[in-house]
Each structure stands twice: as C-alpha cells, then as structure tokens.
Amino acid sequence: MKKHVASFDLASKPVEVPTGTTLIKAARSAGVEIQQPCGGQGRCGRCVVQIEKGTVRRRSSLRLSTQDVEKGYALACQSIIEGDVSVGVPPQEKVERRLVTDLTAKKVSIPEGYNYLKHQNIRRVTLTITPPSMDDQTDDWSRLQRALRQEGGIDNIQTSLPMLQQIGALLRESDWKITAIVDTSLADPLQPSRLIALLPDHVSEESPLWGCAIDIGTTTVTLWLVDLFSGEVRAQVAEYNKQINHGEDVISRIIFSSNKNNAGILRQLVVETINLLLEKACKRVNARREEIVKTTVSGNSTMLHLLLDIPTINIRLSPFITTVNHLPPLTAREVGFNIHPDGTVDILPNVASYVGADITAGVFSSGIAKTDLKTLFMDVGTNGEIVLGTKDWLVACACSAGPAFEGAGVVNGMRATKGAIEEVWINSETYEPTIRVIGGGKPRGLCGSGLISLLAELFLVGVVDKSGNINTTRDTPRVRLGEHEAEYVITWADETAHQRDIVITHVDIDNLLRAKAAIFAGFIVLAKGVGVPLDTIEQVLIGGAFGQYINVEKAIEIGMLPDMPWENFHFLGNTSVLGAYYALLNWESRKQIDEIAKQMTYIELSADNTFYEAFTSALFLPHTDLTLFPSVSKAMAG
Amino acid sequence: MKKHVASFDLASKPVEVPTGTTLIKAARSAGVEIQQPCGGQGRCGRCVVQIEKGTVRRRSSLRLSTQDVEKGYALACQSIIEGDVSVGVPPQEKVERRLVTDLTAKKVSIPEGYNYLKHQNIRRVTLTITPPSMDDQTDDWSRLQRALRQEGGIDNIQTSLPMLQQIGALLRESDWKITAIVDTSLADPLQPSRLIALLPDHVSEESPLWGCAIDIGTTTVTLWLVDLFSGEVRAQVAEYNKQINHGEDVISRIIFSSNKNNAGILRQLVVETINLLLEKACKRVNARREEIVKTTVSGNSTMLHLLLDIPTINIRLSPFITTVNHLPPLTAREVGFNIHPDGTVDILPNVASYVGADITAGVFSSGIAKTDLKTLFMDVGTNGEIVLGTKDWLVACACSAGPAFEGAGVVNGMRATKGAIEEVWINSETYEPTIRVIGGGKPRGLCGSGLISLLAELFLVGVVDKSGNINTTRDTPRVRLGEHEAEYVITWADETAHQRDIVITHVDIDNLLRAKAAIFAGFIVLAKGVGVPLDTIEQVLIGGAFGQYINVEKAIEIGMLPDMPWENFHFLGNTSVLGAYYALLNWESRKQIDEIAKQMTYIELSADNTFYEAFTSALFLPHTDLTLFPSVSKAMAG
C-alpha cells in the first residue's frame, strides 16, 4: 500500500502512514492526542485542524463554514490522507476546574446513628492465635479460620490465592498476634465472608480503616475517602473522566469502544482517573492506599460496563440491553484500583441501559423510597433520567436529551468551566444582553445553565417565537443572518476570549428545544403511566452535577421543568456518590439499594406510544398546552 | 565487584560473573542447565563438572574421590568462581521412559454404575432463550441465569468477569440458542454453581466433554484424560516432573524454592509439565484443550503448595505445618492450566505436611475406607507414607525414608529407567551375581527394586551381616576395600554402559537400612498406636510408582515389609491418580475424600517416643526381633 508523510506541528517528527489513514489516527501515531467529544463521528467539530501543506479528502465537513474549508480547516476524524500533508493543530480547549472545586467544597453529614460495629460490612479483628506445635499441626489457613470463628464470630470465610501465598509468612512474622480485616458480606447471604488483609501485630484502635465512595460520571468522576469507623468523609476529590477525549456523551463512548482497535482503552482511562483520585485523596489526609479496603462504585450503566471492559454495544442498539445489572463483589486486583489488592469493589446495581446505578443510588440517597410525598426525581448530567414515586412505588425513564445542556451540539456550547456564560439577561427594548461568566473573565462560550437562561430571555423578549424561530425583524444588529441561518450574537468578538462572536443559531435553539422537550415528555409519560397528574406532584428533587446550576425560573419558562412553586424544587447535588457513600457505610442501606433496583419499573420511552406525542407537544416554548404553564402564560402576557 | 570470565563447553559464548558466583549459577546464566537432584546442597554429586582451565574454591567435595578432585572434577553447586575458568560439563543422565510407558499401559475400569446425570458435578445444558425485546429488557446475565434456572434447574449461579465480558456477544452470535457448561459444585453446598463456558448453538449429544485427573508426583506427573459422559479414561500420559533438575526429593525442592531468587520457578516448571501432558493427551484423542472443563488434582502436600506458589518452608521446619490443606475450587486461569480458562481446578485435600492429597486419594481409591479388613496401605514413591485402618478408623504417618529407593544417596543408585539393575541373584558359593537390567542392555546403576533385591541376596549368602557390615573375608574379588570403605562389585567396568564398576558400599547399605527401618518402624508405631498387633493385619495394599516393582519376598527378607503370606500383598499402581479420577467423575466420591481427610488421624513420628526405639530395632537385617520374621529366620537357617 502507498505510504505518505504526515507532519503535525505539535509532533517532534513526521510519521509515515498508508493511504486512507484518518488524520486523527495519523496524529495519534505521531503522539498528538486530539479531543473527540463526539467519539469521532464528525458531529461536534471539536477535532478541527488546519491543513498547511498538501490536501486531504474530507468525508464530511459538518460544523465547518465554506470559509473555514477555504482556509484549510478540516475535521481530523473525517479527513483521509491521500498524499503528503503538513497539519497545524489549534490549541485544544483546556479542561478546567470549576465543577471539581465546587463539588469538593460541600460538607457531608454522617448518617444519623452510624455505628461501625452494627452497620459496617467490614470487620477488623485482632487475634492472638495459639501457634502450631507437634500436638496441633493444623494448617495455617484452618488455624486462622478457627481463630476468626472463635475470637471474631466470623464463619464460612474464604480468601484469594495471592493471600494464601502470604499467610504462612504473615502469621509467623507477627508471632501469631495479628489483625485481620474481613468483608462479612452481610448484605448478601449467598456471598461468603472474605479475608481482605492480615496486618502484623494488633493495630491500635486509632489506626485508620478507609473506604471510598466513587461516582463515575460520564463527565466527572467523584471520589470520597471515608473513615469507616467514624463514617466521616475525610476527603472529596473529583476529576474529569479521562475518557472525555474519546466522546463527551455515553453514545460517543459506546461507538468508540465498539471499534475493535479501541478495546480496553476506555477501561484503562477510567481506572487511571480513579487511581489519580485515590492518590490525591490519600495525600490530602496522609492515608496509605493499602489501608483502603473497600470501594462502593456508582455510575450509569455504560460507565460501569466500561469500567469492567464489558462490551457496551447492546446498550446502544435496540432493544437497549445491558450485559449485567447486578455484579458480584469484585476485588481491587480484578478491577485495577490501587487500593489493597484484596479490597472489595462493590458495584451498585443498574436498572436498565439508561437507568444506571447512579439513579438507584440517587433514589436511595434522596429519600424517595422512604417518603409518602409524590416525588419527581431527576438527574440531569450528561444524560437525563427521571424517576417518579413514593415509598410504595417507583417508575423510571431515561430521556435521550443528548448532551446539549453540557454544551455539545451547540455552536458556542461548552462545559461549565472558566469562561462559560452561565446566566443571561436581555433588555426587552434594546435586546442588549447582560451576562455572568464563570471565573469572571472574558467569555468563551455558553454552558447549559447559560443556554437555558438565554433561551428563556430570548423567548420572553420576543427575539425567539414559540416555535423557536429567530425573529429577524427585531431592530438590533445582534439579530442577523449567519452563513446558513438566523442567529443572535451574545458577545461581540472584541469582548470574547477568542476574538470571535459568541452566537446562538436557529439550529442550536432547535437542539435545545429537542433536549428540553425530551425531558418534559418524560415527566408526562411517567405521570400518565402511573395515573398521577403532573400537578399533584409534591416535590421535585434535582440531582446531578448540572442540576445544581439550573435556574428554576428560567427552566420553567422554556418548559423544561413543570410549572410549580419554586419552593417545591430541591437541589441535591451528586446524589449518586451520596448513595454510594451510604451503601459503603451500612450493609442495610446496601440491601435497600438492591431492593430499589428490583422494585423500580423502567419505562422504555422509545417503545411508548404516548411519548412521541408528548415530545412533539413539548417542542414549543414553553409548550403547546399553555394550561400546563400558568406562570409562564402570565409572564408572557405581562 | 571484581568480575571473571567463565566458559562452559556446552555454551555458545563465555559469561562474565562477579567473584563468589557458584558454577551452577554461572552455567545457568550461560544457558547451561545442570541437574541438581539434591536441590544444590552438595549431597547427591549429580552436578559434577570438570574444571579445564583456572581454579575454583570448593565449599564441599562430598561424593568426589581424591582422584576425582585431582582430575579437576568439582560439584557445580558447591564451587565458587574466584578467577577466570573454563568448565567441561559431562553428559547429564538422560531421563528415560520406562515408568512412563508402564504407567500408561494399564487399562482403567469405569466405576461401576457411573451415570453422568447422577454423579457428574459438571452439567452441560442446551438453552433456547427468548431474546430481549422492548417488553423485556432484562440484562443478559439475568436472562441467562433465568434460563438456567427454568430450563436447567440450576440456581444460585455465579461467573467470572472475563466471562461477563463475553456473554453479550456469545448470546447474540448464537442467536440465543446456546449450550452452557456449569460446575454445579454439588460436593460443597457452600460453593455456588459456576458458569464455565457458553458454546454457540446446541452442541450435539456426541460432542465430547473432557475432564482430567492429575497426580503430581515428586518424580512423575500423571494425567488421565477422561470422557465425562461415559467416564472412560481415553488417554493416560505421564512425564517426569520438570522440577526434578532442582531437587529429587521434596526436601530438596523446599530448600530450592525457599531461596528468594527461585520464587515461582518450581510453580512454572510443574505447570509446564502439566501443560505438556495436556497437549500430548489431547493430540492422542484429537481433543481440543478448551473442551476440557475440569481437572481434579492430587499430589503430596509439597507438590500442591508448589503448584500454587504457596511457600513450603514451614512444611520442612518443625513442627511441620502446611499453609492450606483444603483449597477452595480454583479456575484454570488462576492456576495456569491450558484448558478452558474458566474450567474448574479441584485440588484434593491434604492431611498434614507429609500425608498429602495423594494419600487421601489413595485411601479412597484403594477402598480401605469401605472395608472391614484391617488394612495396611503404603505408598512408596519418593516419600513413604503409611495408613492403617478399616472403614471405621484410619491412622497415618509419614516415614522420612529419604529417596534411597529412588536411587539417591547411593553411589550407583539411579531411577528405574533404562540401564537400571532391577533384580539381582547371588550364587551362595561363588558370590557371583546374575542381574536383570531394565531395557536389557548394559547396566548403568541400581534402581530401588534392584537395591532391595541385592541387599536381600547379600544378606542371605552372608556377604553382608545382620548389622549391614560387608564381610571382607569372603573369598571373592567382588568384595574389596574401596577408597574409604568396603564394597561389593555387582558389575565390572567392562560390562557396564559407562565403563566403571557398579558397586554397593557400606555407606550405601547403611542408607538403605535407615530407609527400610524408617518404613518398618512406621508400621510398628501405627499398629501400636491403635493397639492392633502387626500380625493381625489382614491385607497390605501397596500404591505408588515404585511400589509396583517391589519383590515382596526380598522386601520381607531385608525387613522392610512385615512377614506375612505373599498373597496378602496387593499392588495397586498409582492410587493417587485413581482417586483423583474417581473424584473427577463423582461428586459423592469427592465428598467422601474430604471426609477421609478429616477422619484420618495423623501421627507425627518425630514427636512419637516409641518411634526411635522401633527405628533402632529395625536397623538390622531383617530385625533385632527375629520372631517378627519367622519366614526369614527359616530361610537363614536353611
């Protein structure tokens, strides 16, 4: 096959690649990693590069203007090398720390009445074992089991081969005075108890015993380091999921990982992320990684499959099936976490492909399963999941809202990091906007809350009509015709960080309408499904990273949230990691989470006849049926 | 540190090693592997090499004559390099095939009434699973569990992470018509059932399902490939245990493996041996390795510890403790066997450091635990273990007989391979011997049965007295004074394969006396311990590789076996692999083997006061107490 030379300005030397290689692949082999939020499908435009010499064959130039193409810009994932090329790689968006900082600031309360001896699955017992003698030649393992039974009351205990390889030396080096750490597996009577660690001598009561609650979000991975004795959360750390470069939403990740060449990459990246967090958390409280003996892991179904390298392809393909919802307890050795290698990795149960352990955990930690109030719970992160219920019943659905609220699918969309416009007010006479920017500097784009805010304002001041069309007759230079379509300029180039206008286009608004309509239609279908009118719902609990920043008023105005008094809305933050934390501390809580997963009725919206109708009706601002939004009608009239 | 050049005639190029390196280590780094039957302790003399240029410091020259040392011979394991040297490596004894061939020749009967459906732990079930749909989005693993429960009656089933990584694809590729292979763990109700394999489509009833029974002997590893449906043994293969180069007896292996530099080496070697046997067995019947779904493994405690890389050091040190006697079921992936990676590896239980699973299995397969007859069972392989009992009681002990009967510790001793003298008759007037040689050619040494035969003859014709002294006044050139001591020449140099006299020395005889005395003292102590006079024993069952070749008459004459009618002795061959075979086929048998291990009372001879007395009394030919050997007294008188 013919070969060509590809040079990248960021690479130390050119690479030789065969005809037909994509630019992204050539870049990777040259050591240049280019972000692909959409997983390499040409949808997001984030992998744009500039061809400085030579030409490429463009399979698609979606997201590039004619001008861009003329200037030599090309999508790296969609461009094929057919001759020698020189390529310039523009600076990639840097991942910044706003979410991370915010998430780690919150103080977590220890569950009331937490009692290590009563609730904790992990037991630490000190043993003084009678050494072997000619009169009692019992083997080491049976002798240890006997001591655990007699002194610790722990029966039917198993262990791993690597532990068996060590116990002879451990018992003798410590002169038969040892401390054993055991997972008593109380939450599941079918599981035997399991010896995790043997420590020399009797450790002091003060010496720590750590656990971790982990939430693997599509965007952010959160880890809490917990003192298992007191129950206190001693460190909270978070990092962007390192998988992000290979897709910003679960679908993009699934597509990426379903390519045979990419097997195992996403697993490795998320394990790296978690090990980095473990290191940070340990450093903060001066803990040793081997002292961490248990982790409880939450996350959506795709993230949990990817963590274990279980193929995700059938999550994406109809009829949307996970490989496994209830995983047996695993060890850190199997999963790859840098804690005690025999430490337990307990993965919380999924309900369905798009209702994962994050929702099961969220339902538990938000208290729906214990309340009499008719409660709507929503987790709007990269995906949108909705649960409706009380302590007696639970129904759930997932809205394929897409990641519009995380900034993808929107020309100037971005994640909620430094430089993102998070709030917009528009003067109803001049149509001039006032903006608030995360971090306070010059803006670079719009994050989810900024988009909701902007859309609500544009609608209320009449720049956008109820169908989402931009009214180009408004007397302001901010409303103009872009290359293909109408757009509204929020910030002029000279006031932005990148010297380009920040705009919202008709297509962007269409994408936002689809996203909010999917969520609202989800509410409608769930409520109808169980015969509970939407207006009888007594509280709305909002979890998830994005949820925290929603302006409820604006979200109601665009018809994304149901129209009810603001005091009925409660923002709970990361309910997934909180649920994992409760499960980590208390085996009864862990059992209840299993029961929630079993009890929850999942409604597949794409199979539901009423969904399409509800969705279409919600594709307007705020909705075709204005009686559903009395407060908005009033504001429109005013 | 100073470095020296060491050249070995068998190596392609010299190596540079630091001062103080042993010749054996230098040889290894030059790619020359020298056999060390004693594990590198300078006891066996098998690692002798010739220094051709330069000198070495000899830590020990045991087993070398002054003449040998003058000629430059040195023990590679005991010689230190302190300057440049050139070394000649004499041809090492080639391992040959007599044992192997003999062991594989025997036809094994299928246990009466064997019924796959009733007795076999492994189940193969064909499933036709309703595919997922929008109406039933149950996850793959739950769906499979449901089908196994409903169609196969198998509940509480678990599986491995690698299997979970495959099931989604396996189920779909086979269009939901599959065959599952499950280990139902019937022998241990505390173990869950375990999914081993999923095969696409419904396999035909004729398609095979294989298991293996394996006996890991110190010298020989035996493997039987078994059709689990019919119970038939389809291939019997055996190989010398590749660990042999690092020690011929368990003590030498323990010493070798206790050296930190040697960690993992012996595990690797025995796993290699077994994988080689698997390959041979599969080739013979055209089986595929992935079709083997279960192995049942027997062997002595040291071999089973080494197989799993569990340290053996405490087996050797008083009070002689194993790390683990009852292992949980493992998978081939964990152990390293080249069968189906999720195939079960079931390791039979040990009783004590020197009464291993080979004896537990032997007691089961020889039927002692089901007989009313007072039975003496002995397994004389590289070690000597003795069990006395009936179906109601069992006592066991281990005799530290040493490997004298396998040819070690005897100047012209060798294993029972081609060229070994296996039978000797001596003319009582001329003292001229007649010999029988394995393979029929010129002799190279004496194997165990040859040594017993020779000693009995020398005693009966009066060349050796009851204390084991050689009577140098006999009128024959065959009795002479060697370098240090009296010896008897069995074969003159010109009639041997190696052109050196084959002799037995006073020290050799002393070693043989100690070995046979240890065994006989074991009988005495066991019998006394349970108050059963030796002459009331109704049958003697002899297992083990060596056992098959013992001439009972001669063994009684030297006082190794109790004096009773020959028809009371039965040779059973490899009772260990036979026991593993029964356990492989029938979960009830497997349970009984566990019960035998629990029931057997182990008597530690080194802690028994009566042992030393019994041993000293047995250090004579045939014994100090001639009333114990009436038939021998008669022969001596005649």
Side-chain angles (χ1 to χ4, degrees):
Chain A
M1 193 175 285
K2 215 174 158 196
K3 293 227 172 189
H4 313 289
V5 176
S7 327
F8 294 86
D9 58 355
L10 296 183
S12 55
K13 54 179 182 181
V15 287
E16 224 186 43
V17 294
T19 290
T21 307
T22 58
L23 279 178
I24 201 106
K25 215 172 147 188
R28 197 176 297 155
S29 73
V32 177
E33 199 65 48
I34 298 176
Q35 286 190 24
Q36 292 178 275
C38 72
Q41 300 173 81
R43 288 196 291 110
C44 69
R46 210 72 69 84
C47 67
V48 70
V49 294
Q50 195 169 15
I51 308 301
E52 291 164 353
K53 226 158 64 194
T55 54
V56 291
R57 182 160 58 82
R58 290 165 165 84
R59 284 196 301 223
S60 161
S61 288
L62 217 74
R63 303 241 148 241
L64 295 180
S65 66
T66 320
Q67 236 178 352
D68 288 339
V69 174
E70 273 166 14
K71 282 184 190 157
Y73 285 104
L75 299 180
C77 70
Q78 296 295 321
S79 301
I80 305 291
I81 294 175
E82 296 182 334
D84 295 353
V85 284
S86 291
V87 182
V89 182
Q92 300 266 305
E93 181 188 315
K94 278 267 186 308
V95 168
E96 301 195 24
R97 301 273 167 250
R98 173 187 146 125
L99 275 174
V100 173
T101 318
D102 276 13
L103 279 172
T104 56
K106 219 164 164 183
K107 173 88 184 156
V108 182
S109 314
I110 299 167
E112 218 178 324
Y114 173 64
N115 180 338
Y116 159 74
L117 285 173
K118 195 172 147 205
H119 298 132
Q120 186 46 249
N121 214 21
I122 301 288
R123 291 278 311 277
R124 188 169 79 185
V125 282
T126 54
L127 302 172
T128 305
I129 303 174
T130 313
S133 66
M134 286 294 192
D135 296 329
D136 178 7
Q137 293 178 313
T138 306
D139 60 291
D140 296 340
W141 175 232
S142 298
R143 187 176 298 272
L144 180 59
Q145 285 176 302
R146 188 169 65 193
L148 281 164
R149 198 162 47 238
Q150 291 175 352
E151 295 188 49
I154 300 166
D155 218 336
N156 183 22
I157 186 162
Q158 300 200 346
T159 194
S160 67
L161 185 50
M163 178 59 87
L164 284 173
Q165 288 164 344
Q166 299 166 46
I167 64 169
L170 286 170
L171 289 169
R172 283 167 185 82
E173 281 161 15
S174 59
D175 209 16
W176 304 92
K177 275 179 63 178
I178 54 142
T179 303
I181 298 172
V182 176
D183 186 333
T184 55
S185 307
L186 290 170
D188 183 354
L190 289 180
Q191 294 292 337
S193 295
R194 203 171 55 75
L195 178 66
I196 292 176
L198 275 188
L199 312 176
D201 221 328
H202 292 174
V203 301
S204 86
E205 300 255 326
E206 283 76 42
S207 100
L209 193 64
W210 301 104
C212 284
I214 299 175
D215 168 52
I216 306 179
T218 310
T219 305
T220 308
V221 181
T222 306
L223 183 148
W224 293 358
L225 185 62
V226 179
D227 176 337
L228 293 182
F229 290 122
S230 69
E232 195 188 344
V233 177
R234 293 287 307 284
Q236 298 179 52
V237 289
E239 273 293 339
Y240 282 103
N241 187 331
K242 286 194 180 191
Q243 297 174 337
I244 275 186
N245 281 352
H246 300 295
E248 281 196 356
D249 54 58
V250 293
I251 298 299
S252 307
R253 304 260 175 96
I254 292 173
I255 291 170
F256 178 83
S257 73
S258 303
N259 183 325
K260 265 189 189 163
N261 297 326
N262 300 330
I265 293 181
L266 295 186
R267 173 187 194 165
Q268 192 192 325
L269 288 170
V270 71
V271 169
E272 270 175 24
T273 308
I274 289 168
N275 286 336
L276 186 74
L277 289 171
L278 284 165
E279 207 180 309
K280 281 173 66 172
C282 283
K283 206 173 270 175
R284 199 169 295 175
V285 297
N286 211 6
R288 285 169 44 233
R289 289 188 314 210
E290 312 79 59
E291 292 166 351
I292 306 174
V293 293
K294 186 175 171 187
T295 59
T296 303
V297 183
S298 183
N300 64 55
S301 306
T302 301
M303 289 304 115
L304 299 183
H305 278 59
L306 290 176
L307 172 69
L308 302 172
D309 212 14
I310 298 174
T312 49
I313 185 165
N314 298 307
I315 290 180
R316 179 176 164 238
L317 301 177
S318 172
F320 316 118
I321 306 298
T322 49
T323 295
V324 53
N325 287 340
H326 291 259
L327 279 152
L330 300 165
T331 61
R333 183 181 292 113
E334 291 173 281
V335 180
F337 290 172
N338 278 344
I339 62 169
H340 191 293
D342 277 298
T344 302
V345 176
D346 181 22
I347 297 181
L348 297 181
N350 304 312
V351 174
S353 276
Y354 298 105
V355 174
D358 49 349
I359 303 307
T360 327
V363 164
F364 180 78
S365 68
S366 62
I368 313 172
K370 282 182 182 161
T371 183
D372 285 317
L373 299 176
K374 271 174 238 149
T375 304
L376 192 63
F377 169 76
M378 58 188 288
D379 185 317
V380 189
T382 312
N383 313 298
E385 296 97 351
I386 307 169
V387 180
L388 180 61
T390 69
K391 68 172 164 40
D392 300 317
W393 52 273
L394 291 165
V395 288
C397 72
C399 312
S400 45
F405 294 122
E406 299 225 316
V410 174
V411 165
N412 287 118
M414 65 181 286
R415 285 196 293 265
T417 58
K418 202 176 163 216
I421 299 170
E422 59 171 344
E423 189 76 73
V424 183
W425 300 267
I426 297 179
N427 185 299
S428 59
E429 286 167 11
T430 63
Y431 308 115
E432 282 301 300
T434 310
I435 59 171
R436 194 173 70 212
V437 177
I438 297 176
K442 286 189 173 180
R444 291 190 296 129
L446 289 142
C447 66
S449 57
L451 287 166
I452 290 173
S453 183
L454 173 63
L455 187 58
E457 291 288 302
L458 289 173
F459 173 57
L460 287 180
V461 302
V463 171
V464 164
D465 70 12
K466 64 176 183 159
S467 303
N469 296 313
I470 295 175
N471 186 339
T472 51
T473 66
R474 294 294 174 199
D475 180 22
T476 165
R478 290 190 182 263
V479 173
R480 69 182 186 197
L481 256 172
E483 183 155 355
H484 304 295
E485 52 190 351
E487 59 191 30
Y488 171 86
V489 182
I490 303 110
T491 315
W492 298 107
D494 55 1
E495 287 162 8
T496 67
H498 45 46
Q499 307 291 314
R500 277 176 285 143
D501 295 346
I502 294 174
V503 303
I504 185 163
T505 69
H506 174 66
V507 170
D508 291 343
I509 292 172
D510 222 54
N511 282 336
L512 289 171
L513 281 186
R514 288 174 173 279
K516 77 96 188 171
I519 292 171
F520 194 78
F523 297 148
I524 297 284
V525 171
L526 278 195
K528 272 202 184 145
V530 290
V532 170
L534 210 53
D535 57 9
T536 65
I537 286 168
E538 290 157 288
Q539 60 175 350
V540 179
L541 308 179
I542 302 180
F546 168 59
Q548 295 180 88
Y549 304 102
I550 294 180
N551 179 322
V552 171
E553 184 190 0
K554 302 275 174 84
I556 294 174
E557 281 167 1
I558 66 165
M560 175 179 161
L561 292 181
D563 194 357
M564 55 175 75
W566 300 350
E567 63 267 25
N568 288 9
F569 290 88
H570 303 281
F571 294 99
L572 304 181
N574 189 335
T575 49
S576 172
V577 72
L578 191 66
Y581 165 64
Y582 291 154
L584 171 71
L585 285 187
N586 188 330
W587 61 269
E588 286 168 342
S589 303
R590 177 65 182 83
K591 232 168 137 174
Q592 284 162 25
I593 287 177
D594 263 348
E595 277 152 26
I596 287 172
K598 278 180 203 141
Q599 186 198 344
M600 211 178 318
T601 308
Y602 174 68
I603 297 181
E604 174 63 49
L605 293 186
S606 58
D608 194 293
N609 293 330
T610 62
F611 177 73
Y612 187 71
E613 196 188 327
F615 175 71
T616 331
S617 307
L619 274 176
F620 293 84
L621 291 169
H623 197 270
T624 40
D625 181 1
L626 280 176
T627 63
L628 286 171
F629 289 88
S631 82
V632 186
S633 299
K634 224 164 126 189
M636 284 160 66
Chain B
M1 191 174 287
K2 217 174 155 194
K3 295 227 173 187
H4 311 289
V5 177
S7 327
F8 294 86
D9 58 355
L10 295 184
S12 53
K13 55 180 181 182
V15 287
E16 225 187 40
V17 293
T19 290
T21 307
T22 57
L23 279 179
I24 202 106
K25 217 172 145 188
R28 197 176 297 155
S29 72
V32 177
E33 200 64 49
I34 297 176
Q35 285 192 24
Q36 292 179 274
C38 71
Q41 299 174 83
R43 289 194 290 109
C44 70
R46 210 72 68 86
C47 66
V48 70
V49 294
Q50 193 168 15
I51 308 299
E52 290 164 352
K53 226 159 61 193
T55 54
V56 291
R57 183 159 58 80
R58 290 164 165 83
R59 286 196 301 224
S60 162
S61 288
L62 216 75
R63 304 240 147 245
L64 295 181
S65 66
T66 320
Q67 234 178 351
D68 288 339
V69 174
E70 275 166 14
K71 282 184 190 158
Y73 285 105
L75 300 180
C77 70
Q78 296 295 319
S79 301
I80 306 290
I81 293 175
E82 295 182 332
D84 296 352
V85 284
S86 291
V87 181
V89 181
Q92 302 266 307
E93 179 187 316
K94 278 270 187 305
V95 166
E96 300 196 25
R97 302 272 168 252
R98 173 186 144 123
L99 274 174
V100 174
T101 318
D102 276 13
L103 278 171
T104 55
K106 221 165 164 182
K107 173 89 182 155
V108 182
S109 314
I110 300 167
E112 217 177 327
Y114 173 65
N115 178 338
Y116 160 74
L117 285 172
K118 193 173 149 204
H119 298 131
Q120 186 46 250
N121 214 21
I122 302 287
R123 291 278 310 278
R124 187 169 80 184
V125 282
T126 53
L127 302 172
T128 304
I129 303 174
T130 314
S133 66
M134 285 294 191
D135 296 328
D136 178 6
Q137 291 178 314
T138 305
D139 59 291
D140 295 341
W141 175 231
S142 299
R143 188 176 298 271
L144 181 59
Q145 285 176 304
R146 187 171 66 194
L148 281 164
R149 198 163 49 237
Q150 292 174 352
E151 294 187 49
I154 298 167
D155 218 336
N156 184 22
I157 185 161
Q158 301 198 346
T159 193
S160 68
L161 185 50
M163 178 60 86
L164 284 173
Q165 288 164 344
Q166 298 167 45
I167 62 169
L170 286 170
L171 289 169
R172 284 168 184 80
E173 282 161 14
S174 59
D175 208 15
W176 305 91
K177 274 180 64 179
I178 54 143
T179 303
I181 298 172
V182 176
D183 186 333
T184 55
S185 306
L186 290 170
D188 182 354
L190 289 179
Q191 295 292 338
S193 295
R194 203 171 56 75
L195 177 66
I196 292 176
L198 276 188
L199 312 176
D201 221 327
H202 292 175
V203 301
S204 86
E205 301 256 325
E206 284 77 42
S207 101
L209 192 65
W210 301 103
C212 284
I214 299 175
D215 169 51
I216 305 179
T218 310
T219 305
T220 307
V221 181
T222 305
L223 182 148
W224 292 359
L225 184 62
V226 179
D227 176 336
L228 294 182
F229 290 121
S230 69
E232 194 189 344
V233 176
R234 292 287 308 281
Q236 298 178 55
V237 289
E239 271 295 337
Y240 282 104
N241 188 330
K242 285 195 179 190
Q243 297 173 336
I244 274 185
N245 280 352
H246 301 293
E248 282 198 355
D249 53 58
V250 293
I251 299 299
S252 308
R253 304 261 174 98
I254 292 173
I255 292 170
F256 178 84
S257 73
S258 302
N259 182 328
K260 266 189 189 163
N261 297 327
N262 299 332
I265 293 180
L266 295 187
R267 174 188 193 164
Q268 194 192 324
L269 288 170
V270 71
V271 169
E272 271 175 24
T273 309
I274 289 168
N275 285 338
L276 186 74
L277 289 172
L278 283 166
E279 207 181 308
K280 281 172 67 171
C282 282
K283 205 172 275 176
R284 200 168 297 175
V285 298
N286 211 6
R288 285 168 44 233
R289 287 188 316 209
E290 312 80 59
E291 293 167 349
I292 307 175
V293 292
K294 186 174 174 190
T295 59
T296 302
V297 184
S298 182
N300 65 55
S301 306
T302 302
M303 288 305 115
L304 298 184
H305 278 59
L306 290 176
L307 172 68
L308 302 173
D309 212 14
I310 298 174
T312 49
I313 185 164
N314 298 305
I315 288 180
R316 180 177 163 235
L317 302 177
S318 172
F320 316 117
I321 306 297
T322 49
T323 294
V324 53
N325 286 341
H326 290 260
L327 278 153
L330 301 166
T331 61
R333 184 182 290 112
E334 291 174 281
V335 180
F337 290 171
N338 278 346
I339 62 168
H340 192 292
D342 278 297
T344 302
V345 177
D346 180 23
I347 297 181
L348 298 181
N350 304 312
V351 173
S353 276
Y354 297 106
V355 173
D358 49 350
I359 302 308
T360 326
V363 165
F364 178 79
S365 68
S366 63
I368 312 171
K370 284 183 180 159
T371 182
D372 285 316
L373 298 176
K374 274 175 237 151
T375 303
L376 193 62
F377 170 76
M378 59 187 288
D379 185 316
V380 190
T382 313
N383 313 297
E385 296 97 351
I386 306 169
V387 179
L388 181 59
T390 69
K391 69 173 161 41
D392 301 316
W393 52 273
L394 291 165
V395 288
C397 71
C399 312
S400 45
F405 293 122
E406 299 227 316
V410 174
V411 165
N412 287 117
M414 65 181 287
R415 287 196 290 267
T417 58
K418 201 178 165 214
I421 299 171
E422 58 171 344
E423 189 77 71
V424 183
W425 301 267
I426 298 178
N427 186 301
S428 60
E429 285 168 11
T430 63
Y431 308 116
E432 282 300 303
T434 310
I435 60 173
R436 193 174 69 211
V437 178
I438 298 177
K442 286 188 172 180
R444 291 189 297 131
L446 289 141
C447 65
S449 57
L451 287 165
I452 291 172
S453 182
L454 173 64
L455 186 58
E457 290 287 302
L458 289 172
F459 173 58
L460 286 179
V461 301
V463 171
V464 164
D465 70 12
K466 64 178 180 157
S467 304
N469 295 315
I470 294 174
N471 186 338
T472 50
T473 64
R474 293 293 176 203
D475 180 22
T476 165
R478 291 190 179 262
V479 173
R480 69 183 185 196
L481 256 172
E483 183 154 357
H484 304 294
E485 53 192 349
E487 59 191 29
Y488 172 85
V489 182
I490 303 109
T491 316
W492 299 108
D494 56 0
E495 286 161 9
T496 68
H498 45 46
Q499 308 290 317
R500 277 176 286 142
D501 293 347
I502 294 174
V503 303
I504 186 164
T505 69
H506 175 65
V507 170
D508 292 343
I509 292 172
D510 222 51
N511 282 335
L512 289 172
L513 281 185
R514 288 173 173 280
K516 77 97 186 171
I519 291 171
F520 194 77
F523 298 147
I524 296 284
V525 171
L526 279 196
K528 271 202 185 146
V530 289
V532 170
L534 210 52
D535 57 8
T536 67
I537 286 169
E538 290 157 285
Q539 60 175 349
V540 179
L541 308 180
I542 302 180
F546 169 58
Q548 296 180 87
Y549 304 101
I550 294 179
N551 179 324
V552 172
E553 181 189 3
K554 301 276 173 85
I556 294 174
E557 280 168 1
I558 66 166
M560 174 178 161
L561 292 181
D563 195 356
M564 56 176 75
W566 302 348
E567 62 268 24
N568 288 8
F569 291 88
H570 304 280
F571 296 99
L572 305 181
N574 189 336
T575 49
S576 172
V577 73
L578 192 64
Y581 166 63
Y582 291 155
L584 171 72
L585 285 188
N586 189 330
W587 62 270
E588 286 168 343
S589 304
R590 177 64 183 83
K591 231 168 140 176
Q592 283 163 25
I593 287 177
D594 263 347
E595 277 152 26
I596 286 172
K598 279 180 200 137
Q599 183 198 347
M600 212 180 315
T601 308
Y602 174 68
I603 297 180
E604 174 63 50
L605 292 185
S606 60
D608 195 293
N609 293 330
T610 60
F611 176 73
Y612 188 70
E613 195 188 327
F615 175 70
T616 332
S617 307
L619 275 175
F620 293 82
L621 290 168
H623 196 272
T624 40
D625 181 2
L626 279 178
T627 63
L628 286 170
F629 288 87
S631 83
V632 187
S633 300
K634 224 166 126 190
M636 286 159 66

